[in-house]
């Protein structure tokens, strides 16, 4: 690891590339100068300032960016409408207040107001227009034909010019930007119907009386323009409400965070403070049944913690002194004092919300199909409307002009591609939110699409298949020595060592309530072990090299070989130069690992273990788990090469790991899967993060991917079939055989219904079984 003093960028030569670390802990490689991509890292001699706490759980960025839900590439630094599709832009990363239940949506409020007023004016207008179709209707005799026309004009004008104003503005913007969209078609349809009707009302003599009704003059379509506007506004209101429900996952996550924390002052006083006042290092009291305010570690007391809202696991987890706790999880019956270690944007909850928000705004590859179709679709619809108008005007049945206008407007309205544009984003938003509630964090929509296609999963051993925390498992003593004595003396010596195995031996002695002794003359010999004087006895702990004569330890060495075949690491103990016994330490397999691997194999997934451990240990773990393919003694720089080799065989590879040494392989894999219990570098290199850190999350991720992609395909099918069938019917293909011509008002209702059906189908993912 090196630091460039000029740029203060961390870098590390690995896998033939220079890997750069940014200030956030992410890890990537650049062929060009990375300076423009990475923020300067802190100097090794200067401690980085802690992130400032945020009252909004750290989700508020320094500068809010707004993004289009249908076209995520459209980003700007202020709210407004998307120039491509016309939809209102939404914050890329949202604040807690944005998701408050009582926080109004400005666009929804505006559309609701326009809908109710437009509906109130359209209802009497519709009744008046229907009176024309009933000869002898009292209204006609009482008011007269011309007065009815002026009343219709009076009622329709505010609906079209005010109620439909957002549609005209977005339609005009689409023409200027050359990105034709649904509002292009709506504004054309409503505008043509209204403009023609105004012209016919003021200059009836310039148009022939083509209507077969009892009223004089040409036919008018004020009611069609007004009712279409009201129906489209209703569709927008329903759509906005449904889109708001797609944020329910983030609402639920943000709602978990408590508003206050009980701080323990230096003088022992305790008081409740606002969450934003909590700083790193503060001592906090968590009482039974309370939510844990921030991430940290227990310093006093024990309890059981309900972490289901973060990990998706229903069973509480017992925690004691020194163990970490996650903010927003729920304390059980015990009371404890914790030290705040991560606050604001650094908490697990804040990072989960940020990742979910970014994933919901990302674009799946399958969206390209909808984008390609939409790019050609709107011009084709306009062309179809022109052809339908011309065909009806030239060869249509009388009244030709009336039928021509009806057909053209109906084609424009019914073919709005809103459902097509919503098909993918809505499913992605709901799916990623559902994954977050199950402890599966999806970085972007592409990963969500690829996960169901994975056919090979490469798994690291330590920390992924196993717990990554070595534990004392075996104590054996030779005749003349007692097991407790062997452990007491060995643990007393190992307490002065920094080796991971030493910590496991000392912890094992503490668990057995064995009192350790003080030592003198501690010494460490590379490749052999450690030694010290304990109560006047010379104790050595390490490999077989600690024995002056290995032949005297033949039985112990043979027993050690058998334990190694069971995936245990063995250390020998010699007392006063005599073999005294051995101690076996193993990294236990996670309880959920066998069942998860069984489900993956049943699903036809090829499982490969990839580890830097010895082959004997790796094969012992593989035998226990039924894994047939093992790549052992692999150096960190070679892990990515193993993944690459599998990819050259045509495999779609997912890599699951938790350490810095796994980061290159995670980046190389088609889908990188990081354990949430691992390092930040691993999680930054992965497309999927499993909060609980076990392989059951991979099974859930595949189920989520399948359910989401199934919903997307259903949505696209609905949208395509709707348009393929709707446009010809609107153009009048059924008129020659059945005498049916689709009324534009019905077309408008059908268009809105298609969008709602896509959203409702996507919302079903909230209840998907993972």
């Amino acid at each position: 690891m090196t630091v460039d003093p000029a740029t203060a960028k961390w870098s590390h030569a690995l896998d033939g590339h220079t890997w750069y670390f940014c200030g956030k802990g992410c890890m990537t490689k650049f062929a060009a100068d990375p300076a423009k991509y990475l923020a300067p890292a802190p100097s090794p001699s200067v401690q980085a300032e802690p992130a400032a706490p945020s009252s909004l759980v750290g989700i508020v960025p320094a500068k809010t960016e707004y993004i289009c839900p249908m076209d995520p590439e459209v980003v700007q630094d202020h709210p407004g409408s998307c120039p491509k599709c016309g939809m209102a832009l939404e914050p890329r990363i949202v604040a807690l207040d944005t998701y408050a239940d009582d926080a109004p949506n400005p666009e929804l409020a505006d559309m609701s107001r326009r809908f109710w007023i437009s509906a109130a004016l359209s209802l009497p207008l519709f009744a008046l227009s229907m009176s024309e179709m009933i000869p002898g209707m009292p209204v006609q005799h009482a008011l007269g034909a011309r007065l009815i026309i002026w009343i219709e004009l009076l009622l329709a004008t505010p609906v079209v010019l005010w109620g439909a104003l957002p549609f005209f503005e977005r339609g005009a913007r689409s023409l200027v930007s050359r990105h034709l969209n649904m509002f292009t078609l709506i504004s054309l349809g409503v505008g043509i119907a209204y403009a023609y009707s105004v012209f016919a009302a003021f200059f009836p003599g310039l148009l022939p009386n083509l209507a077969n009704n009892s009223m004089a003059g040409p036919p008018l379509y004020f009611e069609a323009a007004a009712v279409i506007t009201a129906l489209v506004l209703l569709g927008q209101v329903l759509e906005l409400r449904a889109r708001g429900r797609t944020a329910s996952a983030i609402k639920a996550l943000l709602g978990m965070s408590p508003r206050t924390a009980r701080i323990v002052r230096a003088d022992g006083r305790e008081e409740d403070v606002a969450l934003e006042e909590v700083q790193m290092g503060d001592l906090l009291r968590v009482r039974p049944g309370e939510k844990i305010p921030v991430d940290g570690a227990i310093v006093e007391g024990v309890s059981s913690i309900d972490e289901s809202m973060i990990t998706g696991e229903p069973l509480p987890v017992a925690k004691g002194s020194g163990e970490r706790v996650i903010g927003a999880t729920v304390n059980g019956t015990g009371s404890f004092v914790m030290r705040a270690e991560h606050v604001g944007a650094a908490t697990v909850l804040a990072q989960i919300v940020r990742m979910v928000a970014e994933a919901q705004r990302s674009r799946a590859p399958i969206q390209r199909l909808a984008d390609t179709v939409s790019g050609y679709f709107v011009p084709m619809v306009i062309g179809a409307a022109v052809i339908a108008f011309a065909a009806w005007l030239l060869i249509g049945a009388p009244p030709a002009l009336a039928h021509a206008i009806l057909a053209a407007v109906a084609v424009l309205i019914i073919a709005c591609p809103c459902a097509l544009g919503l098909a993918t984003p809505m499913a992605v938003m709901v799916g990623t939110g559902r994954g977050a509630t199950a402890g599966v964090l999806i970085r972007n929509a592409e990963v969500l699409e690829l996960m169901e296609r994975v056919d090979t999963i490469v798994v690291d051993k330590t920390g992924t298949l196993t717990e990554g925390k070595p534990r004392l498992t075996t104590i054996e003593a030779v005749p003349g020595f007692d097991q407790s004595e062997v452990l007491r003396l060995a643990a007393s010596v190992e307490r002065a060592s920094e080796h991971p195995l030493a910590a496991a031996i000392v912890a094992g002695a503490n668990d057995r309530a064995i009192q350790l002794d003080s030592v003198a003359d501690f010494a460490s010999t590379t490749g052999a072990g450690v030694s010290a004087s304990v109560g006047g006895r010379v104790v050595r702990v390490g490999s077989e090299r600690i024995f002056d004569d290995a032949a005297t330890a033949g039985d112990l060495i043979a027993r050690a070989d058998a334990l190694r075949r069971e995936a245990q690491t063995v250390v020998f103990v010699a007392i006063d130069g005599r073999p005294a016994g051995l101690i076996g330490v193993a990294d236990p397999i996670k309880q959920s690992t066998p069942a998860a691997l069984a489900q993956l194999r049943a699903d036809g997934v090829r499982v490969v273990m990839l580890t830097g451990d010895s082959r004997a240990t790796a094969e012992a773990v593989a035998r226990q788990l039924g894994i047939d393919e093992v790549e052992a003694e692999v150096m960190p720089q070679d892990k990515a090469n193993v993944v690459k080799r599998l990819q050259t065989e045509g495999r779609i590879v997912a890599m699951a790991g938790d350490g810095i040494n796994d980061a290159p392989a995670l980046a190389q894999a088609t889908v990188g899967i990081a354990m949430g219990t691992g390092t930040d570098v691993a999680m930054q290199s992965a497309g999927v993060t499993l909060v609980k850190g076990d392989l059951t999350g991979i099974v859930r991720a595949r189920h989520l991917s399948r359910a989401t992609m199934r919903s997307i395909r259903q949505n696209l099918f609905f949208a395509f079939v709707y348009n393929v069938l709707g446009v010809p019917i609107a153009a009048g293909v059924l008129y020659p055989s059945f005498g049916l011509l689709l009324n534009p008002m019905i077309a408008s209702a059908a268009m809105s219904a298609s969008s709602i059906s896509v959203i409702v189908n996507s919302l079903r993912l909230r209840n998907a079984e993972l």
Side-chain angles (χ1 to χ4, degrees), residues 123-158:
L123 187 60
L125 176 59
F126 182 76
L128 278 175
S129 66
M130 291 299 100
S131 69
E132 300 176 8
M133 303 180 183
I134 306 176
M137 185 77 174
V139 175
Q140 295 185 29
H141 297 294
L143 300 179
R146 294 302 298 171
L147 182 56
I148 289 178
I149 290 175
W150 299 122
I151 294 175
E152 289 182 352
L153 173 62
L154 184 65
L155 292 172
T157 298

Side-chain angles (χ1 to χ4, degrees), residues 17 36 86 92 102 105 120 123 266 307 333 339 364 420 430 443 452 458 471 536 613 643 662 699 722 756:
H17 301 278
K36 61 181 180 180
R92 181 195 292 272
D102 56 351
N105 181 333
L123 187 60
E307 298 181 339
T333 57
R339 177 177 287 105
L420 193 61
V430 181
R443 183 169 296 279
E452 72 164 354
V458 178
R471 294 181 184 175
D613 279 359
V643 174
D662 297 319
V699 178
Y722 165 82
I756 299 302

Side-chain angles (χ1 to χ4, degrees), residues 110 206 267 273 302 429 445 466 537 633 664 672 679 733-734 764:
D110 180 61
L206 298 181
D267 58 4
V273 299
V302 294
M429 290 179 71
T466 65
R537 308 174 74 178
E633 300 175 355
T679 64
V733 296
L734 298 180
R764 292 170 55 232

Side-chain angles (χ1 to χ4, degrees), residues 427-503:
V428 169
M429 290 179 71
V430 181
T432 51
R434 176 67 183 93
T437 61
V440 179
L441 305 183
I442 306 295
R443 183 169 296 279
N444 55 55
E446 182 177 7
V447 170
L448 194 61
E449 180 174 338
L450 290 171
M451 195 65 203
E452 72 164 354
R453 296 164 48 199
V454 167
D455 57 19
T456 301
I457 291 182
V458 178
V459 290
D460 178 50
K461 180 182 75 68
T462 305
T464 303
L465 296 174
T466 65
E467 294 182 1
K469 299 176 181 178
R471 294 181 184 175
L472 178 63
T473 55
T474 302
I475 309 169
E476 296 192 6
V478 300
F481 292 94
D482 179 75
Q483 289 186 0
S484 296
E485 181 185 18
V486 169
L487 178 58
R488 178 179 62 83
L489 294 174
S492 297
V493 174
E494 292 283 27
R495 186 166 56 174
S497 173
E498 296 180 353
H499 196 280
L501 293 181

Side-chain angles (χ1 to χ4, degrees), residues 526-544:
T526 302
V530 294
S531 64
S533 176
V534 183
R537 308 174 74 178
V538 178
V539 180
R540 294 180 180 178
V541 183
S543 68
E544 53 261 41

Side-chain angles (χ1 to χ4, degrees), residues 27-73:
M27 180 179 185
T28 188
K29 56 187 176 183
F30 295 96
D33 179 15
K36 61 181 180 180
Y37 300 101
L38 302 179
S43 168
S45 60
V46 180
Q47 183 176 0
E49 290 294 326
S54 168
S55 61
L56 300 181
V57 204
I59 311 302
V60 182
K63 185 177 181 181
T64 302
E65 292 182 330
Y66 293 85
I67 188 170
C68 175
M70 287 176 60
D71 299 283
E73 71 276 7

Side-chain angles (χ1 to χ4, degrees), residues 711-723:
S711 178
I712 289 175
R713 295 185 185 104
Q714 290 168 348
N715 290 347
L716 290 174
F717 175 79
F718 293 154
F720 278 125
V721 169
Y722 165 82
N723 284 296

Side-chain angles (χ1 to χ4, degrees), residues 213-362:
N213 55 40
S214 59
M215 297 191 67
L220 304 178
Y221 299 110
F222 286 123
E223 84 286 350
V227 173
I228 287 171
T229 299
L231 288 172
V232 175
L233 285 169
L234 174 61
Q236 290 289 293
V237 169
L238 295 177
E239 180 183 313
L240 287 168
R241 287 181 177 174
R243 278 168 49 195
R245 288 200 295 272
T246 63
S248 60
I250 294 183
K251 279 185 181 180
L253 287 169
L254 287 171
M256 294 174 187
S257 181
R259 294 289 189 270
T260 61
R262 189 167 187 82
I263 192 167
V264 181
R265 302 296 185 185
D267 58 4
R269 289 185 302 109
E270 297 184 9
E271 61 177 307
D272 292 331
V273 299
L275 187 64
E276 59 265 27
E277 296 182 23
V278 177
Q279 303 288 332
M280 288 192 302
D282 285 346
L283 294 180
L284 306 174
R285 168 80 64 183
V286 183
R287 291 167 293 190
E290 289 184 337
K291 291 182 178 180
I292 297 171
V294 295
D295 298 356
I298 296 175
V299 296
E300 176 188 317
V302 294
S303 185
S304 59
I305 312 297
D306 179 1
E307 298 181 339
S308 59
M309 66 285 295
I310 297 293
T311 65
E313 293 297 321
L315 297 178
V317 181
K319 298 287 180 82
S321 180
E323 295 190 274
R324 298 189 179 278
V325 291
I326 303 173
T329 55
V330 181
N331 183 26
T333 57
S335 176
F336 60 86
V337 176
M338 61 172 287
R339 177 177 287 105
E341 295 183 344
H342 298 288
V343 300
T347 63
V348 169
L349 179 64
Q351 294 176 42
I352 289 174
V353 172
R354 185 180 298 108
M355 184 177 290
V356 172
E358 291 175 352
Q360 289 184 340
R361 301 294 185 256
S362 62

